Structures are given as C-alpha cells and as structure tokens.
Amino acid sequence: IINSTWPACTQPDPEDPLKRPFMADAVISNPPTFAHFHIAEALCVPLQMMFPQPWTPTRAFPHPYSNEPYDRGWSWRNWYSYEFAETLQWLGVGSMINSLRKNMGIPHCGIEGASLLTIHRIPWVKMWSPALAPKPDDWGNHIEVVGNFFTVEASNYNPPQSLLDFLAAGEPPIYIGFGSVVIPEPEKITSLIVEAAVQTKTRVLLQSGWSTLGGDNMPPNIYCLGKAPHDWLFPRMGAVIHHGGAGTVAAGLKAGKPTMVCPFNADQFFWGEMIKQSQCGAPACPVKKLTTAILVDSFSTLKSEQIKKRAVEMSEAFAKEDGPANGMAAFHKNLPSHLIVDDISVFLDEVILADVYCMELNLKISNEVRAVLCSERGQKVLRSLPETPQTISQGQPLTFYDYSYCDFSSASILKKKGLFGKKMLDENKSTRRVGVIFVDSLFQARKLRKNPVFSHFMHVQYRKKRVNRRQYNPNMAISPERFEQIICAVEKAIKAMEIFRRFDRDGSNFLDQTELSVAIRELVVTNNLDALKLSEQIQDVVSNIIQNNGLIHFSEFAYWMKCFNEGKIVLRGVKDPKLWSGQTNDSKTAVQILQEDVQSLKNEIKELVEFLKIHGIERK
C-alpha cells in the first residue's frame, strides 16, 4: 500500500486507455494508507483525512487498536492511548515511510512521524452519524462528524426463491452474520445459535461470510444464506447481530433494526459501546464469550418495544443526514483557497490554481497568466498601469518562482515535538497554513527568507529533488478572447492590490501583532469597558460591508480578513504596549485611538467597495 501511493498521485490511471497525465491537486486519504501526510508534503498539496473510525486523540474514548476498555469515561488515559497505538504503528512502518520520503526528496522523519496528523492538525471528516456517536468536546474545528456514507447495491440483487419463501412464512427473522471475519470455530458458533433459536422459537437468517455458518439439517426456523447485499437484506429483518464493522452497523441502523455487536477486534468494540450508549440494541459480546444463555437474553432484548423504538428513531436521524454532501462541504471548507488559487483568476469567470509566484507584483499566478504577462502585449499593459511597481515601469523583467501550497514543512516538525497531550487542546497551537516558494540554491533561499514579503504567508524552500506539478510552456496556445480576459483581469487585480496594500501601512506581519482578545482584556482591566463595544463594532463593520456590498474576497485581503475575524490581528491603535501603562506621549486615551481606528477602517473599506463597484466586480 505504501509504495502504491506515490504512483497513484503522480502517474496516469492504469485503466485510462488514453494514458492522460495526472498529478494530484489534493489528497483525500484514510490512516491505514500510512503515506498520506508524506505524499502531500512532497507534492505540497492540501491533505484531507476521511475515515469511519475514531483515529484522532480524545479523552472521550480510547484508540480502537489500543485494546483499552470503553467503560472508563472521560480520561487522559484515553487520550494517550492514541499516542501509544500510533507509536507502535510507526515502529512497524517508519523505515518504509522514510525510504519513500528519501525517494521523494524530503527529509528523514523521526519518531514524531507517528503523530504528524495530530501535530499539524490535519483536517478530518469522520464518516459516521453524530446521532450515534457525537463529536467529543475536545475535538477542534478541523474535525467534523458529517454522517454515514452509503453505497447502493440492492438494485442489482436477485434473491433466490427459497429466501423469499422463508421471509414470507413468518415474522421478520433476526439476522446473524460476521462478514469478513474468520471465526476460529464456526461449528461451535452455529451450534450456539441453533440452540438459542430453538429455545426461544426465534426465526434466524444465518449468513456465511469468510467463515461458513450453518450446515445440513437446520431447523425450519433457521435459513442459511450466502452472499447478499445488506441494503436489500436488513430492511426485511427484525433485528441484526454481526461483527460490528462501521459500515454494517450503519446499514443495520439505517434500516431501523435493533442491533447487537459481537466484536472481534479494532473499532468493532467502539461501535458495540455506541450501540449500548444509544440504547439501540443489546449489549455487545465478543464471539469468543458467546453462550446460549447470552444469545437467549439478547434475542429477548432485541425484540423489546423500547429497543425497537430507539432503533427507528436512529434511522430517522440517519435519514436527515447527507454524509457525502457534508463531507464534500467540509473538504471545500478546509481547502486553503487563499493560498492555492491564482490571484488574477479572482477576476475571471473560473478559479485557477497557482503555479508560480511573481516577485515584482507580489501575486501568485498560473502558468497561463504567466505566459500572458511575459508576452509583448502583457509587458506593455503592465508598464502602462500607474499602480505597477517602478521596477516594471523601468523595463526590468519579471521574476518568477515555483509556488505551491504547503500545509506543513519538515523544518517545523522538530519544533513541534512535545506538543502532544494537553497542550494540543489549545486552539492557538494550530499550525499556520502557508504557501511555499521553491528556489534553486540554499544561498537564494537564505536571501529570500530575509524579505518581509515572504514572512506573511510563505516559506522559502530549497529542494534538490522536487515535483514540477505543471510544466510551463511560454508558447502555450491561448485564444484571443481568453488573452483579452486575462489582460483585463490583470489590470483589475493590480489596481485592487494597490488598495489592499493600504491595510498594512507599516509593512509589519499581521500575525505577529498582539491578539485582539488580549488587547481588549487589558482595556477591560483598566476599566475602559467601552473598548469591548468597540471591538464588536469593528467586527460588525467588516461583516456588514462584506454581506451588503458584494465584496469580492481577493485572496490576500481574504486572508487578512480571516485573521481579523479570528482575533489574530489588531488595528494599529492597540498594538502599542504603552497604552496599558498610561505612558503614551499622546493625550488621547486608548479608547479614543480605537474610535479613530474604527472610523479609518470604515473609510478605507468604503473606498475599496467603491473601486470594486466602478470596475463591475460582482460577488463570486
């Protein structure tokens, strides 16, 4: 599996007869592929994890492979079970992963490789219903429980006539089957099921999977079946007993059937506990502990009206969810669009991914836009714009660097050591999403890192070996209509960029300034309580203008706005520490300065909106 991940993301589909080239722009993966993070790091693309198992540290329940009990409740022991299980997994696959990393041209990864998904707060989509297993309180906003993902197989199934006759002969039977699990003693389990069914006069449908259940001379109230789709079978059952795989649990409850889980390993114990807590079925019992008496009691529980009612309510909750749609929405929400899109394409009809960074324009653009800018017509247009930097007006050529998105850098991994455990609960410890510029030498990398432009939202990296995602062709074919569209978009983008720059007057890094929440807290301490209302007023000004004026989210400005709304930046009036000690040379109070900032912000955004209206830019 590990060795297949790189070709899967970089090579043509083997089943494509045209053998069209392919390079992944994002990676959606699950934990057992193991190479997910490392492939995304090598390609510098966003990573989204999706899985129907609780693979993220929490105090609510233990890691499914830790063999820890589920009756402990809220506990730090649960949290550390994830570090324990992931470390054991890394000891088994770490050497293979580092061999892959070496071949991809990225640095060696130590024991911290066990916890990279947690350290870097990679976004997760949990593919189960929150009605069955609610999201724990200690999971951050980057983790979402979206609902179940179901496949449709019943339409292609033709049941044997004997099965139809059995179903029509009496009350709905209890389904018993263990799917893709090998049972050590299938004959013994069959004997227990037959005894319990005979004692309770219960109709049972016994399905064989990887282990054969049933045999000759079965009682008339037991029917033995081979392969059949659950979405056809379960709605015709009275209840279901199975191994407790995530998909099987969801299928049974989707049909509104009381459920009993007989777990063998892994997350099956987790789902058994969730069934118990939701009161949708009988208590779980591992297959090796099954007895006739336990089955007799379980049959009785599954037939109770209260359990049936809870199972139906769970089915109704499932019906209100759309797991695939919610999962796709979460994927798009987690995409760092301000870091991956061509800044010029904001003014086009469609969004394009950025390929290079233009040093002089301070814009990330696609190869198509680059070809237009480097053309004779494009150079003439750039030189004619009053907002164009002086170096371009003087005829100097544009400088381009390969650009890509980078959610994580190898250098930051070592700095993040020790952030496991309680510290990881702090939302402020989240990894900042950045872009990355690739250069051809270490000397050039050191030189560019001193440039304040790159400290805002970019890393500068030198790699001996790197992937060129889309090759640049200066002579690429561009239709005249398309060329004019891009030229028009370039003019609008450069003029807009000049206005956006005014929001950062002193050229400082917004992310390094004092947080708004800290500043307001200090003002409240000094009894200037009006500042609290001012902070709300600032937020209202920004949100109202965006909502009411169709403000376009130009990528750099959207990034600034996002940081502002999250309290990561403040206006210039509250970043002077002297304000809190009363040592300002200005006779104005901190509140007065904040009031001026509010008015200044209103005026500047008003000017921005007027510009956008004049140039006919609509909401996208």
Side-chain angles (χ1 to χ4, degrees), residues 156-178:
N156 299 322
Y157 179 64
N158 294 315
Q161 187 60 43
S162 59
L163 172 58
L164 297 176
D165 294 341
F166 175 77
L167 295 175
E171 65 179 6
I174 292 180
Y175 166 91
I176 301 179
F178 302 107

Side-chain angles (χ1 to χ4, degrees), residues 28 51 101 111 131 145 150 188 218 238 260 284 304 332 335 360 393 408 415 418 432 445 467 486 514 537 601:
I28 299 177
F51 205 44
R101 289 177 66 91
I111 193 64
V145 180
F150 292 109
K188 177 182 177 181
M218 287 287 106
M260 176 184 177
S304 71
H332 285 289
L335 280 178
E360 290 74 18
S393 302
F408 22 70
K415 298 178 184 178
R432 179 157 62 100
V467 178
I486 295 177
T514 309
Q537 185 180 3
L601 179 63

Side-chain angles (χ1 to χ4, degrees), residues 8 38 61 68 118 127 129 147 158 166 380 401 463 475 522:
H38 315 279
F61 36 74
E68 289 287 305
T118 302
M127 303 159 58
S129 171
N158 294 315
F166 175 77
K380 184 177 180 181
Y401 296 102
R463 287 187 186 177
N475 300 317
E522 293 288 347

Side-chain angles (χ1 to χ4, degrees), residues 29 108 167 185 203 210 226 257 330 399-400 402 415 435 455 494 523 535 561 570:
S29 184
H108 181 277
L167 295 175
E185 299 177 292
R203 286 163 49 82
W210 286 12
K257 305 306 175 183
T399 306
F400 298 98
D402 288 345
K415 298 178 184 178
S455 65
I494 292 178
L523 284 174
S535 68
M561 197 65 70
V570 296

Side-chain angles (χ1 to χ4, degrees), residues 19-51:
K19 299 298 180 183
R20 289 167 290 189
F22 174 78
M23 185 71 69
D25 291 319
V27 173
I28 299 177
S29 184
N30 59 22
T33 59
F34 293 110
H36 35 65
F37 182 96
H38 315 279
I39 296 294
E41 181 182 348
L43 292 176
C44 283
V45 298
L47 172 62
Q48 173 75 59
M49 301 300 293
M50 292 190 178
F51 205 44

